[in-house]
Structures are given as C-alpha cells and as structure tokens.
Amino acid sequence: MIRIKLKIKFIPYEKTCNDNFKDLLKDLQKDTIILIDAKLKPEQEAELIKKTMEKVSEKFSGIELSSIDISPEKDSTLFEKLRGFVFQLTTGKRRGMTVIGPAHIITKIEKNPEELMLYV
Amino acid sequence: MLSSISGIHRHIRNTFNALLSKIFKKKPDMKLGLYGPVNAGKTTLANRICLDWLGEELGKASVIPHETREIQIKEKVTMNHNGKSLNFNLVDTPGIATKIDFEDFLKYGMKKKESKQRAKEATKGVIESIKWLDKMDLVLVVIDSTQDPINQVNITLLGNLDARKTPVIIVGNKIDLKKSNLKRVREAFPQYEVIGISAKNDKNMKELYAQLFKKL
Ligand SMILES: Nc1nc2c(ncn2[C@@H]2O[C@H](COP(=O)(O)OP(=O)(O)OP(=O)(O)O)[C@@H](O)[C@H]2O)c(=O)[nH]1
Ligand SMILES: [Mg+2]
C-alpha cells in the first residue's frame, strides 16, 4: 500500500493580507497545502494569481485554489444572516475558508458548494 | 492648398465627431474585452467578430493552450444592428490560469526549450490580462461550455468584474460539441446573461450581437 503524506498549514486571514502572500507562496513551493480561515476577496484572488505567476518555474507550476463561501446572503435563518453581517462588519473577513495547494500535488479541486474535493 | 483644405476638412470632422461623442456620452475608445480560461475560444470569437464587421482576422487560435500570450487589440470596430451602430476597440486577452506546467506543451510535440519559453511568456500573459481588467468597459467572459463552469478562474474573473461594476456577458462557447451543457453554465451563474454560441461554426452570433447592443 502506498501512503502519501500531506502537510496542511493554517494561515490566519490577517496574515495573508499583511505580507501580500509572500510567506504563503514560500510554503506552497515547499509542498505545503494552505488553509485560510476566510474567503479571499476577488481582488485578493487576482493578486494571488499574479504573485503565483511571478513564481512559476520548472519546479513550481502554480496553484490550485478554491474556497467555501458562507456569505451572509446565503445563510438560511435571519439570525444566521445577522451573525454573518456582524462578523463581516467587525472583522472585515468573509466567512468561509480557502484552500490553496501546489499544483504538482493537488491536481484539481472540485467545489460542491459546501464541500471541497481535492484530487491528489 | 489642397492639403490645407483637407486639413481644415479633417479638423471640422474631428471637432464634429468629438462633439457627437460628447453628446452621446460615449467614450471614443470604448474597450470590449474577451476574457476567460485558457482554450475557451476567445481568439476564435475575436476573429469571428472581426471577420463579421471588419472582414479580417485578429489573431491566431490553436488547440495548444496559451496561444495568446500578449494582449491583442483591434481598434475601431463598428457594429450595426437595427439602424444603431456601436464603436469599440476589441481586446483579446491571454487565457487566465492558476498554473502553467511547461511539460504540458511537450505533449503537443513541442521541444523542451520552446515549451519552457512558452510557459514563461504565458505567465506574463496571465499577469497582463489581470492588469488590463481595470481598463475594460464591457467584458465577454468566454467559457468552454463542455467543461465544468465552476472553476476558480471563472469565479475570480466574475468576482473582480463585479467589484469593478463592469458589465458582463457570459459566452458559453463550443455549443456545436455534443458534451456542451449550457444549462450547467446558467445554473452556475444565475445572475448573469448567458449566451450560447459556436465561435468556430458561426452559430448564434446574431443573439450575441443583439445582447451587446442591449448592454451598451
Ligand atoms: N468545437 C469548437 N471548437 C472551438 C470553438 N471555438 C474555439 N474552438 C477551438 O478551441 C481551441 C482554442 O481556441 P482559441 O480561440 O485559441 O482559444 P483561446 O481562448 O483564445 O485560448 P488562449 O489564447 O490559449 O487562452 C482551438 O482549437 C479552436 O479551434 C467552437 O465554437 N467549437
Ligand atoms: Mg487566444
């Protein structure tokens, strides 16, 4: 039986924003899968793709990323909605999570919408 | 003498045109961008539009991914529809990707050196495409309708255009193929206009042009 070891590292949302994905990309180049405790803003996703492209080389082909979005609009009950809005207002974060993997390890991520399927 | 008359003539015409565009509040250099994942058919669509309205093509389409690696612009395209006309610059962009593996190009019979060069140019192309998003007045997000529409490139693209309040039409391309599934595209992005076309086989282009006139 073949066993595969995967390293998953948690990076708080605030930290990814502060250093403009610098450390995150270093980790990704060291075969680490990254988990962020929020959904990135579209502008941040675009920035991350740009920064990734700058790092692409023969050894590092890029990333696979996907996120689960628990936006306040999508929450079911009024209370949940309210909680989501308050969370976004007070923390500036979008509720949800983001998974980013090095493309040579994670070949595909399927989104389903509350589940993520990672293909190794 | 003759040249000065034509100069005056040109001057009057230019002033008149400037006045017209002011009256109609239309920017003279409106940009219509074609965006989307690699291989979706952006250049094929750009060529179709240019053939229809200019009688000439814009760029090279190819089965090999990342064929377009630099922004391509066709200036002053004029479209006519029901007595109205539309002027814009058509911008074909390099396909956006989150990964580029030079070894993928080897499968198409490319040499190693050539593949590495293509990959390098492709990464720059992706960065350019993203940088140019700010300049667009209207964007056609071109999606290969035979593929799963919920991919990160589409999501990031639509999210960014939405944040910029740029008008968007989703073009579900390749409807000539059996595996094409427009319903899946519509279900993935219910808040958008989705037009199914075949850029290659010239299918449903009229509907796309009509939609363009509606948006602008
Ligand atoms: N069957 C079918 N194939 C198409 C259609 N449109 C484009 N293609 C094919 O899809 C492939 C990619 O087309 P391109 O126009 O080069 O795609 P692109 O989006 O410009 O690709 P990049 O520039 O690499 O990002 C080519 O082999 C085209 O012939 C279509 O409507 N139907
Ligand atoms: Mg192209």
Side-chain angles (χ1 to χ4, degrees), chain A residues 59-77:
Chain A
K59 291 192 197 85
F60 178 66
S61 61
I63 59 170
E64 274 295 326
L65 85 147
S66 192
S67 57
I68 288 183
D69 179 10
I70 317 174
S71 65
E73 305 90 69
K74 267 196 217 149
D75 283 331
S76 49
T77 67

Side-chain angles (χ1 to χ4, degrees), chain B residues 161-196:
Chain B
L161 292 163
D162 186 47
R164 289 165 171 79
K165 305 236 178 320
T166 310
V168 166
I169 298 170
I170 295 180
V171 178
N173 190 30
K174 311 198 186 181
I175 57 165
D176 56 291
L177 297 176
K178 231 191 180 145
K179 269 177 65 195
S180 163
N181 189 345
L182 274 181
K183 191 165 159 258
R184 191 166 58 161
V185 180
R186 292 206 168 94
E187 279 167 3
F189 309 113
Q191 62 276 50
Y192 290 91
E193 229 87 59
V194 177
I195 311 276

Side-chain angles (χ1 to χ4, degrees), chain B residues 41-102:
Chain B
K42 300 175 291 300
T43 305
T44 308
L45 175 57
N47 285 341
R48 174 66 54 207
I49 294 173
C50 288
L51 272 177
D52 281 351
W53 303 102
L54 291 176
E56 62 188 38
E57 297 205 332
L58 172 143
K60 187 168 166 271
S62 164
V63 278
I64 311 174
H66 299 285
E67 182 63 26
T68 313
R69 298 184 293 286
E70 280 175 8
I71 303 266
Q72 306 288 329
I73 306 176
K74 199 56 125 182
E75 291 187 336
K76 296 201 173 73
V77 181
T78 304
M79 268 184 195
N80 299 300
H81 180 76
N82 291 345
K84 279 192 274 182
S85 81
L86 207 60
N87 289 297
F88 55 83
N89 298 334
L90 187 66
V91 185
D92 182 25
T93 64
I96 295 177
T98 60
K99 58 180 177 189
I100 297 168
D101 188 345
F102 82 92

Side-chain angles (χ1 to χ4, degrees), chain A residues 45-56:
Chain A
E45 288 172 357
E47 192 59 31
L48 174 59
I49 294 176
K50 275 201 279 182
K51 289 275 166 349
T52 302
M53 286 299 126
E54 286 170 10
K55 290 277 184 272
V56 166

